Amino acid sequence: MEIIDKKDITVLIAGDSGDGMQLTGSQLTQTSALFGNDISTFPNFPAEIRAPQGTVAGVSGFQLKFSSEKLYTPGDSCDVLVAMNAAALKANINKLKSGGELIVNIEGFDKKNLRLAGIDSDQHPLESKEIEDFNLIKLEVTKLTREVLKESALGQKEKDRCKNMFVLGYLYWMYSRDTESTVQFLKEKFGGKPDVLEANLKVLNAGYHFGDTNEEFTSRFKVEKAKLDEGEYRSITGNHAAALGLISASVKSDLELVYGSYPITPASDILHELSKHKNFGVKTIQAEDEIAAICAAIGASFAGSLAVTASSGPGIALKGEAIGLQAILELPMVIVNVQRGGPSTGLPTKTEQADLLQAFYGRNGECPVPILAATTPKDCFYMAFEAARIALEHMTPVFFLSDGYIANGAEPWAYPTEASLPNITPQFASGDGTNYLPYKRDDNLVRKWAIPGQEGFEHRIGGLEKEHETGNVSYDPENHEFMVKTRAEKVEKIADHIPLQDIDAGKPSGRILVLGWGSTYGAIKTAVRACLDEGIDVSHAQIKYLSPFPKNLKTVLESYDQILIPEMNDGQLIKIIRSQFGIDAEPLNKIQGLPFTSSEIINKIKSLA
Amino acid sequence: MEATENKPLTAKDFSSDQDVRWCPGCGDYSILKQVQSVMPDIGVDKKDIVFISGIGCSSRFPYYMNTYGMHSIHGRAPGVATGLKVANPDLSVWVITGDGDALSIGGNHLIHVLRRNVNLNILLFNNEIYGLTKGQYSPTSPVGKNTKSSPMGSIDQPFNPLALAFGAGGTFIARGMDRDVKHLRGLLKASHDHQGTSLLEIYQNCNVFNDGAFFTFTEKDSKARNVLFMEHGAPMKFGAEQEFALRLDGLSPQLVKSNDYSDDDLWIHDQHDKTKSFLLTQMFEHPEHTDFPRPFGIFYQEDRPRYEDGVIAQINDAQAKKGKGNLDDLLKGNFTWKIDD
Ligand code: SF4
């Protein structure tokens, strides 16, 4: 049989949220990554845990691009669509390239499924004219799965639950992958349930061999290893990376990590991950609400720990008053916001970058807080670590912004070693405490951290305005103004301790600069490279340090005729750029709960060029 | 954590250099003084003591203690104290709160700290009014209370803080008053000794906005008749001559004359008996109990695992099973691959 070489392949697997699509997708990801492809993923969850079966609202999708070249996005459209039912097809068929492979489970296209998907039965989608555009492969997944398991002692329901393994096995065959890492994974997952393990393994194998023995299928595909930089790699999602970044910061600062959190989508996975690593001395507190979660972190920071709280927009709104307290106390804390669609409950499972202004301004009083944002899943590691470094070394709460897209998305990561990470050195008060003034500052305007248990340093702090140096309660008008300015200046001075803004692609000056922040990185990078290949004068800079900005940002911005700012919001960074630098920029906004495709950005660049 | 100083500390050592700013005559002064005088006796170094408060008149308290302290935000002191205690279980942590702070805006945190049983001491200054905001009804103000925000009388059913603490799974539930200083000192000490969350409600007179709310219990001419000081293992007697007593008919309390019964037939206080202790917290609410005394002292005490011990135990457990965390292994994970040039 013919094996066709491809540069890259984008697969979108879609089905009911109960069909195990996410697991299938992440296994295919793991296997492709282990094989040596570059990978980029985009899991797309429905809002409900078990939305009505068979409906469009219940469709769960997992998009994976694997490539023999470096990747920055999971792809604008897909080469292969696996649709487990009619609703999954309806929701995703517009993403399939013409001529692409359309693999369907025809059992998901019966009368009932069509009705649930809101499709007229006389317009059967698999018999439509448009479908001829694609290479249609029909499978009877349930029937085949049951057939394989006819001797198994499992109940019908449990048997049917294995059917995603059939699809996975088939995909492995089609893309010339071996099943080994999934076999390992299943052994770990179902080690305690030999019946279930055996059934899953059998179905996985059957799916693989089905391709081999069925003559209908004439071609297989292959994507060679990617020429990634030399090194040892693993696959990582943004939330997982953030958790590892925080633990690393705890190790490198030699402080205990205390994590106060309340479950919220899409941030909960950080709590799950951290609570697995108690052997690192990690203390996780699942608090009664968002406010208690951050307050527990405040208490822990007072006690001298690396304190972290995490949430998403609605939870951050609840924490606002406590963030203000931490800012006026001048104690360290990392506040993670894994952003999602808003306002209010908004789109919990979808991505958005609409909490930037909240991070800048969402508190009462003058309350500047440093803000960092990660650009990709693996970058969540480095920026979470950076957030902890800045918090601890500058005695301030720090926002670390991520979002649903990179939090759940995965990519290969040439993971670092402990030795390669910098030490974090908080300034603890020392001596016998005789002349200790809690709000006396060093050159960076940072105060010394004295913690309960330290003899001679007994002192009181609180949310009332403090007198300069002594920290005693003060209502003095001049003192208040002085303290407000001093706290702001302390945050400004952090600019001396962060990297300068770099240009990711293109020339250091020229016609157009595409200025992004956070998770739009991959789409912008892909777009800018494509435009550069066409000879367009365009460059790309991605801001990771949003407050304070890198010191050279103004100069960078002034080096181009025009600035284009794509954001997954209605224009937030652009407001800040306008107000801080008086530079007008061109917005490109997408507020659909979905990341940009690179073509959307390419089109905009071309319209300006 | 044990005191190591040679020279014994006195109450004065616990007083900070800040001027105390409560209204003259406020009940808070007396409570502050009792706390300062008990501190040298609890056997904890000054450096290991932390006072955490929320917002309200009473919440200024930490500023006046020469220990570590934090004046946090409204209602959230239990959250801050929980984090502090989890981070450093060796500290002696005291939460200072009021009826508005603990029972209104912070109600959620109060019930959760009680159920978790974090080893800290909550002093709930109950003055049945909002003082700092200048006199609105609070969640413990009685129905009908005329205040600035209830000129026609409050229509809110008040909380019974101790019954609430019971419902939340509190393990140490007690009541004292600002004006019986010796009794209060005993309760402060007992709160410290209890290993778990201690909830000590203290009736506190706000002489500016709610003067005399508790005079029935605190003033000489009415105190004896209306206050029952409970002692574990002792019969429940009260009155100037201990002439009145309580006895139980099944689970129904009765007010009797002490002389009519032998002590053995009276209600003997058992602070570990959940059912009977709960009856005591409810005593003043029952419509037929209008002439019953109000109980003071320790209503209930129970030993139950402490939250922070659970946190530490899991860490120890994880380290025993997996060994102390190795960052390089963690960063590597379970599935890796190599790219060579
Ligand atoms: S308002 Fe009342 S509670 Fe507040 S300080 Fe004055 S007397 Fe005390």
Side-chain angles (χ1 to χ4, degrees):
Chain A
M1 183 170 303
E2 184 189 16
I3 295 191
I4 303 167
D5 270 307
K6 300 264 278 179
K7 184 173 74 122
D8 57 53
I9 293 173
T10 303
V11 186
L12 171 54
I13 306 168
D16 254 333
S17 59
D19 281 344
M21 297 296 94
Q22 299 300 327
L23 186 126
T24 311
S26 55
Q27 281 304 304
L28 188 58
T29 304
Q30 183 78 275
T31 299
S32 304
L34 286 177
F35 173 77
N37 293 135
D38 198 355
I39 51 150
S40 177
T41 73
F42 176 40
N44 197 0
F45 308 100
E48 266 73 47
I49 302 298
R50 291 278 185 273
Q53 274 199 350
T55 64
V56 173
V59 174
S60 168
F62 191 102
Q63 186 170 325
L64 161 67
K65 185 170 188 176
F66 50 98
S67 174
S68 56
E69 293 181 358
K70 273 202 181 178
L71 278 185
Y72 303 100
T73 77
D76 289 4
S77 55
C78 57
D79 305 295
V80 188
L81 171 64
V82 181
M84 296 297 281
N85 61 25
L89 181 87
K90 185 177 171 184
N92 292 297
I93 190 71
N94 60 344
K95 298 183 190 111
L96 184 58
K97 287 178 192 162
S98 101
E101 312 277 330
L102 175 60
I103 303 170
V104 298
N105 172 26
I106 50 170
E107 291 150 341
F109 287 79
D110 61 12
K111 269 213 170 97
K112 188 176 161 209
N113 273 289
L114 292 180
R115 181 169 46 78
L116 287 168
I119 301 170
D120 278 347
S121 54
D122 52 357
Q123 294 181 348
H124 199 290
L126 298 181
E127 284 148 22
S128 71
K129 193 114 196 78
E130 297 86 69
I131 226 77
E132 288 169 19
D133 237 14
F134 310 112
N135 180 20
L136 182 63
I137 299 167
K138 295 181 184 173
L139 303 176
E140 287 175 289
V141 182
T142 313
K143 193 175 136 202
L144 291 163
T145 301
R146 287 183 188 171
E147 183 65 28
V148 176
L149 297 178
K150 63 174 184 281
E151 264 143 45
S152 160
L154 294 178
Q156 191 75 270
K157 251 193 161 161
E158 281 172 301
K159 287 182 183 172
D160 286 355
R161 222 173 275 150
C162 299
K163 66 180 195 242
N164 60 334
M165 285 299 124
F166 191 91
V167 175
L168 184 62
Y170 176 69
L171 290 171
Y172 282 156
W173 173 81
M174 189 149 167
Y175 299 108
S176 325
R177 298 283 185 241
D178 70 45
T179 55
E180 189 45 40
S181 85
T182 296
V183 170
Q184 277 305 327
F185 167 83
L186 291 171
K187 280 184 180 162
E188 269 171 43
K189 186 172 162 90
F190 298 120
K193 299 178 193 157
D195 285 7
V196 179
L197 173 63
E198 198 199 309
N200 274 284
L201 291 176
K202 261 191 168 163
V203 175
L204 178 72
N205 259 320
Y208 193 91
H209 293 301
F210 183 76
D212 242 349
T213 50
N214 197 313
E215 293 179 358
E216 231 184 286
F217 309 126
T218 51
S219 41
R220 298 170 73 180
F221 302 92
K222 202 165 134 221
V223 173
E224 288 299 341
K225 289 183 184 191
K227 285 165 228 51
L228 298 172
D229 296 333
E230 209 178 314
E232 287 213 33
Y233 285 79
R234 65 176 291 175
S235 159
I236 194 108
T237 66
N239 273 343
H240 193 166
L244 298 190
L246 294 171
I247 294 176
S248 300
S250 152
V251 171
K252 298 302 284 194
S253 61
D254 207 11
L255 296 179
E256 252 177 24
L257 174 59
V258 179
Y259 187 80
S261 180
Y262 184 77
I264 186 169
T265 303
S268 303
D269 278 342
I270 303 177
L271 172 63
H272 304 161
E273 187 61 32
L274 289 175
S275 59
K276 278 191 227 160
H277 302 297
K278 298 193 171 163
N279 59 326
F280 282 84
V282 175
K283 295 174 174 171
T284 55
I285 300 172
Q286 184 177 313
E288 58 271 22
D289 62 28
E290 295 282 0
I291 301 172
I294 185 170
C295 285
I298 291 174
S301 72
F302 188 39
S305 298
L306 166 55
V308 182
T309 189
S311 189
S312 189
I316 299 294
L318 287 169
K319 294 178 196 292
E321 184 193 11
I323 297 171
L325 174 64
Q326 190 75 350
I328 197 172
L329 293 175
E330 301 187 53
L331 282 172
M333 175 185 295
V334 176
I335 304 152
V336 183
N337 181 355
V338 186
Q339 300 165 94
R340 63 190 218 187
S344 186
T345 308
L347 303 171
T349 59
K350 308 291 175 190
T351 196
E352 205 159 276
Q353 294 183 299
D355 297 343
L356 182 63
L357 293 179
Q358 180 193 42
F360 263 88
Y361 305 119
R363 294 161 294 285
N364 63 305
E366 299 293 349
C367 188
V369 168
I371 304 165
L372 276 55
T375 54
T376 70
K378 66 177 180 237
D379 195 42
C380 289
F381 173 86
Y382 298 101
M383 295 321 276
F385 186 91
E386 269 292 88
R389 175 185 71 82
I390 292 172
L392 292 167
E393 294 184 351
H394 296 267
M395 293 292 275
T396 174
V398 175
F399 264 112
F400 162 57
L401 302 182
S402 163
D403 62 44
Y405 172 48
I406 52 175
N408 292 317
E411 67 176 333
W413 178 37
Y415 54 91
T417 57
E418 177 181 338
S420 70
L421 298 169
N423 287 324
I424 297 176
T425 50
Q427 298 300 308
F428 284 105
S430 57
D432 63 3
T434 320
N435 294 316
Y436 177 64
L437 293 174
Y439 289 84
K440 196 170 154 70
R441 297 161 194 281
D442 67 10
D443 293 346
N444 289 314
L445 301 181
V446 175
R447 76 184 191 90
K448 292 267 186 296
W449 195 3
I451 59 172
Q454 246 180 309
E455 194 161 356
F457 288 88
E458 292 85 359
H459 66 283
R460 279 66 53 194
I461 57 180
L464 289 171
E465 185 57 280
K466 306 164 173 32
E467 186 181 62
H468 175 44
E469 298 199 334
T470 66
N472 291 332
V473 176
S474 166
Y475 300 114
D476 179 73
E478 266 88 41
N479 177 74
H480 175 52
E481 185 163 316
F482 175 82
M483 291 299 275
V484 165
K485 300 248 189 221
T486 305
R487 286 188 289 263
E489 204 185 327
K490 178 185 79 172
V491 171
E492 282 307 314
K493 275 181 175 288
I494 293 169
D496 295 336
H497 305 271
I498 59 172
L500 293 177
Q501 182 62 49
D502 62 352
I503 301 297
D504 196 82
K507 294 181 298 179
S509 65
R511 178 72 196 86
I512 302 169
L513 175 72
V514 186
L515 180 69
W517 69 275
S519 76
T520 52
Y521 177 75
I524 298 177
K525 185 175 180 102
T526 308
V528 167
R529 290 186 153 209
C531 291
L532 284 168
D533 285 348
E534 291 187 35
I536 299 172
D537 181 0
V538 60
S539 301
H540 174 206
Q542 194 78 8
I543 307 182
K544 305 212 281 185
Y545 296 82
L546 290 142
S547 180
F549 283 127
K551 287 204 283 193
N552 62 333
L553 185 62
K554 185 159 193 255
T555 321
V556 167
L557 298 181
E558 285 168 349
S559 308
Y560 298 88
D561 300 342
Q562 190 158 26
I563 312 288
L564 167 65
I565 304 186
E567 293 181 85
M568 297 190 290
N569 59 39
D570 205 18
Q572 300 202 357
L573 176 67
I574 199 167
K575 289 195 177 77
I576 294 162
I577 295 291
R578 280 176 185 151
S579 74
Q580 278 207 22
F581 303 118
I583 292 174
D584 200 11
E586 179 72 21
L588 172 61
N589 304 113
K590 182 170 183 179
I591 325 161
Q592 300 172 8
L594 293 168
F596 279 105
T597 62
S598 41
S599 43
E600 286 163 343
I601 297 169
I602 293 173
N603 291 340
K604 182 73 184 179
I605 295 172
K606 287 185 174 169
S607 79
L608 297 175
Chain B
M1 174 161 163
E2 289 304 304
T4 50
E5 320 241 322
N6 297 331
K7 198 166 101 259
L9 296 176
T10 65
K12 246 184 107 199
D13 294 304
F14 286 91
S15 157
S16 78
D17 59 357
Q18 297 296 295
D19 294 335
V20 183
R21 300 263 180 94
W22 289 308
C23 309
C26 174
D28 289 355
Y29 282 95
S30 158
I31 304 171
L32 174 64
K33 196 160 168 226
Q34 304 329 310
V35 171
Q36 286 170 340
S37 61
V38 160
M39 285 296 120
D41 300 336
I42 62 170
V44 182
D45 273 353
K46 218 167 62 164
K47 68 178 173 66
D48 293 320
I49 300 173
V50 190
F51 281 81
I52 306 283
S53 63
I55 296 293
C57 288
S58 58
S59 287
R60 298 296 169 93
F61 198 98
Y63 290 120
Y64 309 137
M65 295 295 301
N66 187 18
T67 61
Y68 282 93
M70 187 195 291
H71 178 215
S72 77
I73 44 176
H74 206 8
R76 320 302 174 195
V80 175
T82 298
L84 180 70
K85 193 73 187 175
V86 165
N88 185 354
D90 290 341
L91 301 172
S92 169
V93 179
W94 299 72
V95 169
I96 307 295
T97 183
D99 38 319
D101 194 59
L103 299 169
S104 203
I105 194 165
N108 196 28
H109 311 305
L110 182 73
I111 58 177
H112 287 277
V113 76
L114 288 166
R115 86 177 157 94
R116 290 193 183 104
N117 201 36
V118 185
N119 186 19
L120 44 83
N121 313 308
I122 302 175
L123 309 185
L124 196 170
F125 295 28
N126 183 5
N127 56 17
E128 298 187 349
I129 198 81
Y130 282 110
L132 193 65
T133 50
K134 300 197 162 67
Q136 300 82 7
Y137 63 96
S138 90
T140 52
S141 300
V143 172
K145 179 85 183 164
N146 279 306
T147 71
K148 275 193 191 140
S149 57
S150 57
M152 297 169 72
S154 162
I155 53 173
D156 285 25
Q157 174 70 27
F159 261 133
N160 172 340
L162 300 190
L164 179 76
F166 243 106
T171 57
F172 179 96
I173 297 169
R175 182 189 290 136
M177 55 179 115
D178 53 2
R179 296 194 178 193
D180 193 326
V181 297
K182 193 164 157 251
H183 185 249
L184 181 58
R185 284 201 297 269
L187 291 177
L188 290 167
K189 184 91 183 5
S191 299
H192 167 77
D193 291 341
H194 173 66
Q195 298 299 303
T197 308
S198 310
L199 182 79
L200 173 56
E201 179 191 26
I202 305 171
Y203 282 175
Q204 173 247 325
N205 191 37
C206 169
N207 55 308
V208 173
F209 295 110
N210 201 14
D211 197 24
F214 305 111
F215 279 0
T216 323
F217 313 113
T218 58
E219 301 315 289
K220 224 177 170 177
D221 46 349
S222 53
K223 182 175 175 181
R225 171 62 186 80
N226 291 298
V227 169
L228 168 71
F229 285 110
M230 302 172 291
E231 288 281 350
H232 181 60
M236 306 263 220
K237 293 197 214 170
F238 67 103
E241 313 285 331
Q242 300 282 288
E243 66 272 35
F244 301 111
L246 294 179
R247 76 182 287 275
L248 274 179
D249 180 11
L251 282 179
S252 169
Q254 293 178 331
L255 183 61
V256 297
K257 293 240 165 64
S258 302
N259 286 341
D260 295 349
Y261 293 88
S262 77
D263 278 6
D264 289 348
D265 289 332
L266 296 174
W267 181 348
I268 310 289
H269 182 43
D270 178 355
Q271 66 186 34
H272 307 304
D273 184 323
K274 210 166 195 167
T275 312
K276 291 183 190 163
S277 294
F278 187 60
L279 288 179
L280 285 166
T281 64
Q282 300 222 298
M283 198 101 99
F284 63 89
E285 287 191 323
H286 202 285
E288 283 160 31
H289 294 171
T290 44
D291 51 352
F292 272 48
R294 193 163 296 191
F296 287 77
I298 301 168
F299 288 72
Y300 183 63
Q301 194 274 332
E302 170 195 338
D303 287 325
R304 210 176 68 206
R306 304 177 298 184
Y307 179 77
E308 65 275 22
D309 291 347
V311 173
I312 306 293
Q314 289 195 342
I315 287 174
N316 292 340
D317 230 34
Q319 289 180 339
K321 281 197 194 109
K322 302 196 237 171
K324 264 197 151 180
N326 176 308
L327 189 56
D328 281 325
D329 291 344
L330 179 72
L331 295 175
K332 190 164 191 261
N334 296 329
F335 291 98
T336 62
W337 66 97
K338 225 183 173 126
I339 308 268
D340 314 295
D341 229 7

